[in-house]
Amino acid sequence: RALSNTSMPPAPPAPGASQLDAAVGIVNGIPAEAFGSIAQRLLRRLGTGTTRLLQDREERQACATLGLSASDLSTLVEFCAYVFERAAYQMQRPEQFEAHLASASVGVEGTRAAAARRVWEAEATAYVGRLRDRHIVGPAVLEDATWTTHLKVAESCASSRGSLSKNGAAPGSSSSAEAASTRTVASAIFEFHFAGGGSSAVSSAADPSAPPSSSSSSGEASSSSSSVAAAPLAVECSHDELYAFFQKLQDIQRTIDQLSS
């Protein structure tokens, strides 16, 4: 059970190959200017906490303007949300963002990739700022782990009272004895220490006007400006929980070995 939790979320899940191909086909099938316009509208709403990026009226208008079905529009919205979330998570600069979209692995046509880059240049700083305010930007990197054992001692009291004797003793003449028993419960407490994703690094990566980062002459100043340490995560495990966790680690290791072989 987690005693505190400040860990960062995982990267947005990548769509399947067929989903990606379908989304890219939709993007390449609409005018670049129209794609840039709807992408900008979506990016301005990402990170605001809204449950829907487009309202019903906007969806109907977009379908009519772009000549898309409701299903195709939904695919387009999900694709835009994915690529922008991925760019923020990886702190991509505009040229990196465009290159990724236009790469063979994605396949967005050049003019549409350029339109998306212009949107990212204009909106990335505000978007990343919204994410940073919600503390969900950048992966937390495990730097160190410490552990301690903890022993809890629990006491319980059991009472035994005499009953009426066979010779007809009065009900009030009963005997009582208090028996105390103790038991111990052992647990392990792990404390994971993380290096934060670095809020200032996120800003410079997303801001198209920011110069590339360079090493500082002061190691202390560089460390404080480029990385923000996350609070440690403490996890307490009982013997059974620890054993189950160990079994899962073994399963993970076997899977990694199989993928690496």
Side-chain angles (χ1 to χ4, degrees):
R1 52 192 177 275
L3 305 182
S4 63
N5 189 356
T6 57
S7 59
M8 308 303 259
S18 59
Q19 293 175 305
L20 182 61
D21 289 342
V24 171
I26 294 170
V27 170
N28 291 341
I30 61 178
E33 184 177 350
F35 172 60
S37 177
I38 192 170
Q40 185 170 43
R41 180 180 300 185
L42 295 172
L43 183 53
R44 286 177 175 176
R45 294 180 183 178
L46 283 171
T48 61
T50 182
T51 56
R52 293 186 61 182
L53 297 179
L54 294 176
Q55 300 303 315
D56 290 338
R57 179 182 61 81
E58 294 174 312
E59 288 181 353
R60 291 192 296 269
Q61 181 181 8
C63 287
T65 302
L66 302 175
L68 300 176
S69 66
S71 175
D72 286 347
L73 179 62
S74 177
T75 300
L76 176 64
V77 170
E78 291 174 0
F79 174 77
C80 290
Y82 165 71
V83 295
F84 287 133
E85 288 173 2
R86 180 183 183 278
Y89 181 85
Q90 296 186 349
M91 298 180 285
Q92 291 180 346
R93 296 184 64 82
E95 61 273 14
Q96 296 172 323
F97 179 64
E98 180 182 6
H100 171 71
L101 291 181
S103 66
S105 62
V106 180
V108 174
E109 188 272 332
T111 59
R112 291 155 182 83
R117 171 186 172 149
R118 290 191 292 272
V119 172
W120 187 242
E121 285 178 335
E123 304 294 338
T125 301
Y127 173 47
V128 171
R130 293 193 297 271
L131 296 182
R132 191 189 310 118
D133 290 341
R134 296 173 62 189
H135 306 288
I136 62 172
V137 171
V141 180
L142 181 63
E143 278 195 331
D144 189 24
T146 58
W147 61 272
T148 58
T149 55
H150 184 60
L151 190 64
K152 298 177 183 176
V153 179
E155 292 188 359
S156 62
C157 294
S159 299
S160 60
R161 295 188 177 275
S163 57
L164 285 174
S165 63
K166 293 182 179 179
N167 58 8
S173 62
S174 61
S175 62
S176 79
E178 296 290 337
S181 64
T182 62
R183 67 186 183 92
T184 58
V185 179
S187 63
I189 298 178
F190 295 92
E191 192 168 85
F192 301 103
H193 300 267
F194 300 95
S199 57
S200 60
V202 173
S203 298
S204 62
D207 187 352
S209 62
S213 60
S214 59
S215 59
S216 171
S217 58
S218 170
E220 181 179 353
S222 175
S223 174
S224 61
S225 64
S226 63
S227 179
V228 179
L233 171 68
V235 179
E236 182 177 9
C237 298
S238 66
H239 178 276
D240 291 341
E241 291 169 337
L242 189 60
Y243 183 75
F245 180 56
F246 176 72
Q247 295 286 74
K248 290 179 181 179
L249 289 178
Q250 286 190 315
D251 293 339
I252 293 171
Q253 183 63 59
R254 279 194 294 266
T255 302
I256 292 175
D257 291 341
Q258 292 172 356
L259 294 174
S260 302
S261 60

